[in-house]
Amino acid sequence: VGGALGACGSSDSPPGPLAKHFDDMYIATIPPAQKPSVVQTQNDWSVARMENAKAEADYNESATQLSIAQNDQKAAHLGVDSAVANKKAAEASADTNRVNDSTKNLHTAEDIAKAADERVKYIEAYRNYLQVAMRYAQENMYWREAQYEVAKSQLGQSNHIAPKGVAYDAFPKQEQERAKRASSAKDRVESARGHAMSVRDNWLKAQETADRETGRSGNLPDPLGSRAAASSQ
């Protein structure tokens, strides 16, 4: 995944585990009443882990969506090939009605193929967006964990707990670095989503033309359309 993510416009490497951890045992005897920030940051980290798992699942599922779109694309282009052959046969027959029908059918087949092409581009752009979103979810997960480590270390420091080899100033530095990475990754999500929405518009226009030609609606899954509807509710 790392190499592919680098192709999303980011030259930095994927996030790795935190280098600094403050062992829970150092603050185990401190009363819960003194731990609101520890509890809150731990909850935030837990939510971020769930969001990361969801982002990975969405990206993995989109591989199937792309495969289906590519299969539909192949079928659509075979339809064009058949329509071309039928038109040639019609022209050879010199039957005007057959020629007119085959010309119309070829035009329809070409519009269907164009819509299928645009759909593949859309799903590819959608997958790229999900990939960038997955990267942000990873960065955010580690940032939230870094906040949790800060909260634990601050509680230990305020209670005059001084474990051997623990440098308290390392935890805020770690959190700041992870916050910066998460912020940068979040900015890239909006850009990738905007591009995917633009490609989606191209597909919708082509699909509308094809549906008008065939007189039926394709009712194809529209992942960003359903997401947009869900987020506006």
Side-chain angles (χ1 to χ4, degrees):
V1 172
L5 287 168
C8 297
S10 169
S11 59
D12 58 346
S13 57
L18 299 185
K20 304 290 182 182
H21 291 88
F22 190 83
D23 200 311
D24 294 28
M25 71 177 184
Y26 296 136
I27 56 172
T29 60
I30 298 174
Q34 289 187 38
K35 297 180 176 177
S37 64
V38 172
V39 172
Q40 182 60 56
T41 52
Q42 187 177 31
N43 286 342
D44 291 343
W45 179 35
S46 179
V47 170
R49 280 183 291 176
M50 288 187 281
E51 289 172 345
N52 181 62
K54 174 71 164 60
E56 288 184 3
D58 285 347
Y59 177 70
N60 291 335
E61 181 186 349
S62 70
T64 301
Q65 294 171 303
L66 179 59
S67 178
I68 291 170
Q70 289 170 333
N71 286 338
D72 290 344
Q73 181 186 36
K74 290 173 188 173
H77 282 278
L78 285 174
V80 172
D81 292 343
S82 296
V84 168
N86 286 333
K87 186 170 181 289
K88 285 179 180 176
E91 288 168 347
S93 74
D95 183 327
T96 306
N97 288 333
R98 273 186 69 186
V99 171
N100 290 341
D101 285 344
S102 64
T103 300
K104 181 176 179 296
N105 290 340
L106 175 58
H107 181 70
T108 298
E110 287 171 341
D111 281 343
I112 292 171
K114 182 181 178 184
D117 290 343
E118 293 299 328
R119 179 165 180 76
V120 167
K121 291 177 189 174
Y122 166 41
I123 300 300
E124 287 173 342
Y126 170 62
R127 255 176 78 71
N128 182 69
Y129 154 64
L130 290 183
Q131 196 173 36
V132 175
M134 181 172 65
R135 174 62 175 273
Y136 165 63
Q138 292 171 340
E139 296 285 7
N140 185 60
M141 177 179 65
Y142 285 118
W143 171 46
R144 294 301 186 182
E145 184 183 9
Q147 288 182 316
Y148 174 50
E149 297 301 332
V150 166
K152 288 188 295 178
S153 67
Q154 286 177 340
L155 181 63
Q157 191 172 24
S158 65
N159 280 270
H160 309 291
I161 297 169
K164 187 176 181 181
V166 171
Y168 277 112
D169 64 344
F171 294 100
K173 288 178 183 176
Q174 176 174 253
E175 187 275 332
Q176 288 162 13
E177 182 215 343
R178 295 296 180 148
K180 186 176 179 181
R181 287 181 66 113
S183 177
S184 177
K186 188 174 185 180
D187 290 341
R188 292 195 289 271
V189 172
E190 288 308 307
S191 175
R193 190 179 194 281
H195 174 67
M197 289 298 285
S198 175
V199 178
R200 172 180 177 264
D201 287 342
N202 294 338
W203 163 63
L204 287 174
K205 288 171 187 170
Q207 192 64 54
E208 184 182 6
T209 299
D211 288 348
R212 193 165 55 242
E213 292 272 345
T214 58
R216 62 177 185 271
S217 174
N219 287 324
L220 294 164
D222 179 6
L224 281 177
S226 58
R227 279 168 176 256
S231 63
S232 64
Q233 290 174 358

